[in-house]
Amino acid sequence: MLLTVARVGRPHGLRGEVALDVRTDVPQERLVVGARFVTEPAAAGPLEIAHVREAQGRWYVTFAQADDRTAAEGLRGVELLVDSDEDADDDDGWYPHELAGLRAEHVADGRPLGEVVGLEHLPAHDVLVLREPDGARTLVPFVEAIVPVVDVAGGRVVLDPPGGLLAADAANLVVSDETRGTGEEA
């Protein structure tokens, strides 16, 4: 199965450099000079990295096949793919297809909280898309403090949600004075 490592973003400068929307936990291993990627759409590739740099948390690359801004613009939206078999030894990462369908249980008592229906990549971190028993769609930050257990083999994730995160628990939402805007203004 092919998995997305990154999506090509907007051009950066005039020499074919593009920003990447990274989808891998190990960009420093994947995004190296000489790395070749199959692409989606397939007609855009394969692409080979000729230059790579990281600046302020963003990754920028130049492909051997696109040496100017016009060519780089033509790559916008292209997905860089790898074969998932290459990642067979990755114990700390999960792919969306592995998480979809897992039941979500509460850390305290194991009660069912819903079913994972997807994974979304947001700027701050990934979020699990949870369908609660009443059908509500909830985004759960995919961080260890809230999702301490991912048991793909057992078909479950364990959640430790703060009050009010889930739609079914909205009455227990905790809002700080800072968020409410009732704190003293400077």
Side-chain angles (χ1 to χ4, degrees):
M1 170 182 270
L2 294 175
L3 299 172
T4 304
V5 171
R7 181 183 310 260
V8 177
R10 62 182 176 77
H12 188 77
L14 301 175
R15 296 187 177 143
E17 187 175 60
V18 293
L20 294 180
D21 181 12
V22 176
R23 299 284 188 239
T24 179
D25 290 337
V26 288
Q28 66 281 2
E29 294 175 20
R30 293 278 188 207
L31 304 174
V32 295
V33 172
R36 291 179 59 85
F37 297 95
V38 293
T39 60
E40 178 61 41
L47 293 173
E48 180 178 340
I49 295 178
H51 180 266
V52 62
R53 70 183 177 95
E54 189 255 340
Q56 299 177 346
R58 296 276 308 176
W59 288 85
Y60 300 91
V61 300
T62 303
F63 296 107
Q65 297 78 9
D67 61 358
D68 65 25
R69 186 176 182 90
T70 302
E73 182 64 46
L75 295 175
R76 184 182 259 187
V78 170
E79 294 184 4
L80 307 178
L81 309 172
V82 295
D83 191 339
S84 65
D85 292 340
E86 295 176 15
D87 290 338
D89 62 346
D90 187 3
D91 293 334
D92 294 330
W94 299 274
Y95 297 109
H97 71 273
E98 294 175 304
L99 299 170
L102 298 181
R103 72 184 175 280
E105 300 173 352
H106 197 280
V107 69
D109 54 14
R111 75 179 179 275
L113 298 175
E115 176 185 353
V116 176
V117 295
L119 178 71
E120 291 187 10
H121 306 284
L122 300 182
H125 49 73
D126 293 345
V127 293
L128 293 176
V129 180
L130 182 70
R131 182 176 51 235
E132 295 188 46
D134 68 354
R137 178 181 179 266
T138 301
L139 300 180
V140 177
F142 196 16
V143 295
E144 190 172 357
I146 298 174
V147 187
V149 176
V150 176
D151 180 7
V152 173
R156 70 189 185 114
V157 295
V158 175
L159 303 181
D160 188 6
L165 177 66
L166 304 177
D169 192 36
N172 295 319
L173 178 63
V174 177
V175 180
S176 70
D177 287 341
E178 181 180 337
T179 304
R180 267 192 213 105
T182 59
E184 290 187 32
E185 300 296 322

